[in-house]
Amino acid sequence: MAATDEPRAVSVVILKGGVGKSTTSMNLARQLAERGPTLFADLDPNGHATNGLGFESAYRGDVNLGNVVLEGTATPADLIRETDYGFDLLPSSNTLEDVEKDLAGAMQGSARVKSKIVDPLLGDQYEYIVFDCPAYPGMLNNNALVATGNVIIPIEPGSSAIGGYKRTMDRLIEPAREYIDVDVLAVVPNKLSDRIDQQTEDRELLENLNTASYEVNPGQPLQDAVPDFARITADEFDAIDAGDMDAPTPGIRHRAALSRSLQHNQPLQDYDPESDQIEYYEHLAEIVANGGTSQ
């Protein structure tokens, strides 16, 4: 995929909870902010990222996304908050589930976030916009896909890992592709902790992602969407098993600092600037800026 560094919006989405979606999207926004003005848009009604960044009052505020995209009584500027971490925040709210219901009955309800937020802001006020999306299909996810056309899918080890990925493709991405172009920029192994020189869930996930026969984008095998830091070939697995190669630690690894950073209302870069995981979020930012993994 050709590298084109241009203003870009991206949705971080998977139809499965608890896989580090908010952590991934927030830290991605933090690293994109090193490249240019960035907006982090929290479309998840649970407001985990918004509250985790310390904006509880905005989450429970009188002005919400519906006032911008439905009623037109507010502008994005009325919602957006400046953070201490280089990016701005469009906060979630405790009324987003009601907004989602209203979007279902609105004319061009799937395009409201694009027309009211992304189109006026992307390339003008912001170089990058990152959407943290809900873990279920619906109008908020539809709006994010229409608004961005680009997707990053985080995925964690476990028996339901590939199922969550397939469900996201079958119930969200592929139906959207009937109407719009959707490009999966990366599928990101996340929250790994075990060794891969043994038959662990971490290894099973990496083998599935790196050897799967199905396509993530038309004409693009799934393994080509796996970032370089998580890509392992079958020959390399054989060399690891034979003791001819030290087992690497691919993917974004589990670190206590990642969970503690949100408890301290900070991205990882600011909570623990020496963390060995920051370089992987930097790489994700490069993938977004370039429009895909380097192939």
Side-chain angles (χ1 to χ4, degrees), residues 130-192:
V130 179
F131 285 90
D132 182 14
C133 299
Y136 57 84
M139 291 299 291
L140 291 172
N141 260 319
N142 291 348
N143 266 268
L145 293 187
V146 171
T148 66
N150 298 295
V151 171
I152 284 180
I153 302 176
I155 186 169
E156 70 169 355
S159 59
S160 61
I162 295 298
Y165 162 77
K166 289 181 177 179
R167 186 163 56 251
T168 302
M169 297 297 296
D170 293 343
R171 297 180 61 187
L172 190 64
I173 307 299
E174 294 303 336
R177 283 176 170 163
E178 296 181 13
Y179 306 98
I180 60 172
D181 292 331
V182 180
D183 190 6
V184 179
L185 301 183
V187 179
V188 186
N190 177 56
K191 299 175 70 173
L192 281 73

Side-chain angles (χ1 to χ4, degrees), residues 17-84:
V19 300
K21 179 174 53 61
S22 294
T23 300
T24 300
S25 55
M26 182 182 67
N27 283 290
L28 170 61
R30 176 64 179 86
Q31 298 309 318
L32 283 170
E34 298 288 317
R35 294 171 170 265
T38 298
L39 176 66
F40 175 38
D42 187 0
L43 292 189
D44 196 335
N46 70 27
H48 181 61
T50 294
N51 290 312
L53 284 167
F55 288 88
E56 295 92 345
S57 60
Y59 180 71
R60 294 172 175 78
D62 294 331
V63 181
N64 60 61
L65 187 69
N67 300 123
V68 177
V69 302
L70 289 168
E71 301 166 14
T73 56
T75 68
D78 296 319
L79 284 184
I80 292 171
R81 301 290 189 270
E82 183 178 342
T83 76
D84 295 330

Side-chain angles (χ1 to χ4, degrees), residues 29-259:
R30 176 64 179 86
Q31 298 309 318
L32 283 170
E34 298 288 317
R35 294 171 170 265
T38 298
L39 176 66
F40 175 38
D42 187 0
L43 292 189
D44 196 335
N46 70 27
H48 181 61
T50 294
N51 290 312
L53 284 167
F55 288 88
E56 295 92 345
S57 60
Y59 180 71
R60 294 172 175 78
D62 294 331
V63 181
N64 60 61
L65 187 69
N67 300 123
V68 177
V69 302
L70 289 168
E71 301 166 14
T73 56
T75 68
D78 296 319
L79 284 184
I80 292 171
R81 301 290 189 270
E82 183 178 342
T83 76
D84 295 330
Y85 311 114
F87 59 84
D88 290 346
L89 170 71
L90 191 153
S92 176
S93 78
N94 58 359
T95 61
L96 267 191
E97 290 183 349
D98 293 332
V99 172
E100 178 150 42
K101 294 174 185 176
D102 291 338
L103 282 168
M107 183 176 295
Q108 296 185 325
S110 292
R112 293 298 185 97
V113 169
K114 182 179 189 299
S115 63
K116 298 293 186 178
I117 294 175
V118 172
D119 286 349
L121 298 180
L122 185 64
D124 183 6
Q125 187 171 343
Y126 298 104
E127 292 297 304
Y128 304 104
I129 301 179
V130 179
F131 285 90
D132 182 14
C133 299
Y136 57 84
M139 291 299 291
L140 291 172
N141 260 319
N142 291 348
N143 266 268
L145 293 187
V146 171
T148 66
N150 298 295
V151 171
I152 284 180
I153 302 176
I155 186 169
E156 70 169 355
S159 59
S160 61
I162 295 298
Y165 162 77
K166 289 181 177 179
R167 186 163 56 251
T168 302
M169 297 297 296
D170 293 343
R171 297 180 61 187
L172 190 64
I173 307 299
E174 294 303 336
R177 283 176 170 163
E178 296 181 13
Y179 306 98
I180 60 172
D181 292 331
V182 180
D183 190 6
V184 179
L185 301 183
V187 179
V188 186
N190 177 56
K191 299 175 70 173
L192 281 73
S193 58
D194 291 334
R195 298 163 57 176
I196 64 168
D197 56 349
Q198 301 173 352
Q199 293 303 317
T200 63
E201 289 184 335
D202 286 16
R203 174 162 178 154
E204 181 182 10
L205 173 62
L206 291 165
E207 285 185 318
N208 279 327
L209 293 180
N210 282 284
T211 63
S213 59
Y214 40 87
E215 297 179 345
V216 65
N217 293 312
Q220 184 187 27
L222 171 60
Q223 56 265 35
D224 286 355
V226 176
D228 290 344
F229 61 79
R231 197 173 295 162
I232 302 181
T233 67
D235 288 343
E236 287 172 328
F237 272 119
D238 288 342
I240 291 168
D241 292 341
D244 298 330
M245 173 182 172
D246 291 336
T249 53
I252 295 177
R253 313 298 294 185
H254 171 76
R255 296 289 184 268
L258 273 169
S259 55

